[in-house]
Amino acid sequence: MVVHGIGYAIVAALIWGSELYILKRRFADLPAAVLTVCINAAALLWYLPVAVVTLDVAAVPTVPELGVVGVGAILTAIGATAMAFVLFLFAIAEGEVSYIAPINKIAPVFVVPLEVVLLAERLSPVQLLGVVVATLAVYVANYRPGTGGLASPFRRAAVSRPAQLALVSAVGFAAADFSRRVALQEAAVPTPAFVLLMLAGVLVVLVPMAYRTWRPVQNRLPELVALGALVAVGEHTTSMAFSLVPASVASPVVNTQAIVAVVLGGVLLGERYFRIRLVAAVLAVVGVALIAV
């Protein structure tokens, strides 16, 4: 079961890392809420046939069966995902994807404390080391040779709007990951049902914001539909991973997407400081891997 869960998480990492590159390369001109609504609508249409075939309706818990914790976990996952993804889109609109990815993908650093406090998980010394290493990734991502002393990366991160957005987004993704684990494991929501709720929920949450910033997308529909298919597969594989292993294990593996995004951004988009950001991404991955031990 654990091996299968990690396998799903690896596939999800490849999918989400590729999506980061596609978002920056093809859709940076669209408002964040508009883009998210269009993607989720397409993903929902792609996923509906899968849910019809695979979902056992009798296995879906009722609201009383879910209780306050289950309902709260679902709503938190939806709201946190919507907020985090929009903030992430704002971040990559203002900054380079190879800079944003290592910072944003330290979300597991925030997942672990949630599991420790709320689910009585225990942190080993190795996991604490992982938190330190993952945090070091933010420092390295902001390092520039010959531009100041050792404190300059801290100052850069503190004043950089893309970095600030990426960090707040990481907190949102952490809350979403933790809530996803609770909904799928503790509340026993079937994966197809949860994916449908996530896709539809994020869509509903962001429709008002998308309405205020709407731009015509008719000429982009084929691209949006294709990206929606990628997101549908990504949501399913991510949810399968979180249904099989703890969030503190699944989240670090899924967030290895940082390396995929940095490589694609550096090689295909020619972004600056590629080597430094690749080191930052590797540190982020090593850190979250230690957390998962």
Side-chain angles (χ1 to χ4, degrees), residues 15 46 51 56 73 149 155 168 205 214 220 245 276 278 283:
I15 290 172
W46 278 109
D56 179 6
R155 292 193 294 268
V168 177
V205 167
W214 185 257
R220 313 288 290 278
V245 295
I276 291 175
L278 185 58
L283 283 173

Side-chain angles (χ1 to χ4, degrees), residues 30-38 86 202-217:
L30 287 180
V34 173
L35 177 57
T36 307
V37 164
C38 290
V86 167
V202 171
L203 180 65
V204 170
V205 167
L206 292 179
V207 159
M209 185 177 177
Y211 178 77
R212 292 193 297 270
T213 58
W214 185 257
R215 290 185 188 175
V217 295

Side-chain angles (χ1 to χ4, degrees), residues 38-86:
C38 290
I39 292 173
N40 273 52
L44 187 60
L45 292 175
W46 278 109
Y47 197 74
L48 275 173
V50 176
V52 169
V53 172
T54 61
L55 180 60
D56 179 6
V57 177
V60 179
T62 63
V63 172
E65 289 172 338
L66 285 171
V68 175
V69 172
V71 172
I74 293 171
L75 294 178
T76 301
I78 291 170
T81 298
M83 179 272 291
F85 191 69
V86 167

